[in-house]
Amino acid sequence: MYHELPRGASFWRFLLSIDQDLAGTVRQKVCSCGGRLHQADYPRKPRGSGEKLPPEYRYRFSFCCDRDGCRKRVTPPSVRFLGRKVYLAAVVVLVSAMRQGPTPRRVRELSELFGADRRTIARWQLFWREQFPQSPFWKVARGRLLTATVMLLPRTLVDLFLRNEEPCQDWGRLLRFLSPITTTSGLSSEVSG
Ligand SMILES: [Zn+2]
């Protein structure tokens, strides 16, 4: 099955609206110390969309406790940014999936399409092969997927979620499903402050 990203700014605005919802849920919470959470976004310069992104893409939403001595960070999951990766999450997923399957797309072709170089794409493949399967998120989430297929990650996920009927909605559901890995606790079992 052949997949691509939905064209046009509306797709990126749609993903932004999901991130705004996810951030809104966190904003209403209080820190475990009882302090209030203030917005303290991380600057970002995302790559790979091939088009002009809404200005909000210069930031990953994040919050910080306002109490001295605590200042704990709370970063909501994201459908736009995959952890600290520079490229947009949708691009990391799509390019990695296109390298898999019966007719993998050539690295050179993907580099020309999305701008990521050979080493970057190789790092993403390593991520899906080694880091992602070990994540606390995946150990729980894979049981929820009612599929007997052998998992080729992320290719199998892309094929499962993208039915090409409503590409925007399908991508939104896939990225929403994966969004726990965009936070430290979903990706690694290490507790970080
Ligand atoms: Zn606090």
Side-chain angles (χ1 to χ4, degrees), residues 31-37 65-67 70-72:
C31 180
S32 51
C33 79
R36 291 200 311 168
L37 294 175
C65 173
D66 71 349
R67 280 200 185 163
C70 178
R71 300 283 176 197
K72 192 177 159 198

Side-chain angles (χ1 to χ4, degrees), residues 31-164:
C31 180
S32 51
C33 79
R36 291 200 311 168
L37 294 175
H38 280 202
Q39 193 146 3
D41 299 337
Y42 289 115
R44 283 285 189 268
K45 286 181 182 171
R47 295 186 201 161
S49 73
E51 33 197 321
K52 197 167 153 49
L53 294 166
E56 289 89 345
Y57 274 73
R58 290 196 300 249
Y59 301 97
R60 161 100 191 243
F61 300 135
S62 185
F63 299 87
C64 182
C65 173
D66 71 349
R67 280 200 185 163
D68 284 333
C70 178
R71 300 283 176 197
K72 192 177 159 198
R73 273 265 176 196
V74 185
T75 303
S78 171
V79 296
R80 298 181 297 155
F81 304 108
L82 192 52
R84 292 184 183 180
K85 289 184 174 50
V86 175
Y87 283 81
L88 292 155
V91 174
V92 177
V93 172
L94 181 64
V95 170
S96 305
M98 286 171 115
R99 289 289 299 138
Q100 300 173 318
T103 51
R105 301 286 282 269
R106 293 161 60 104
V107 169
R108 185 189 296 171
E109 186 189 352
L110 293 171
S111 289
E112 281 168 11
L113 278 171
F114 297 97
D117 63 21
R118 178 174 295 274
R119 271 191 308 180
T120 304
I121 294 175
R123 261 205 318 276
W124 295 346
Q125 289 175 280
L126 199 65
F127 168 81
W128 291 108
R129 199 164 57 235
E130 294 184 0
Q131 207 178 350
F132 179 81
Q134 296 301 321
S135 66
F137 160 74
W138 182 242
K139 284 175 180 170
V140 174
R142 67 172 305 160
R144 296 206 307 265
L145 296 172
L146 301 173
T147 174
T149 346
V150 176
M151 287 276 177
L152 190 59
L153 296 166
R155 174 88 202 187
T156 308
L157 294 177
V158 171
D159 287 341
L160 273 175
F161 278 84
L162 270 62
R163 309 289 187 179
N164 286 319

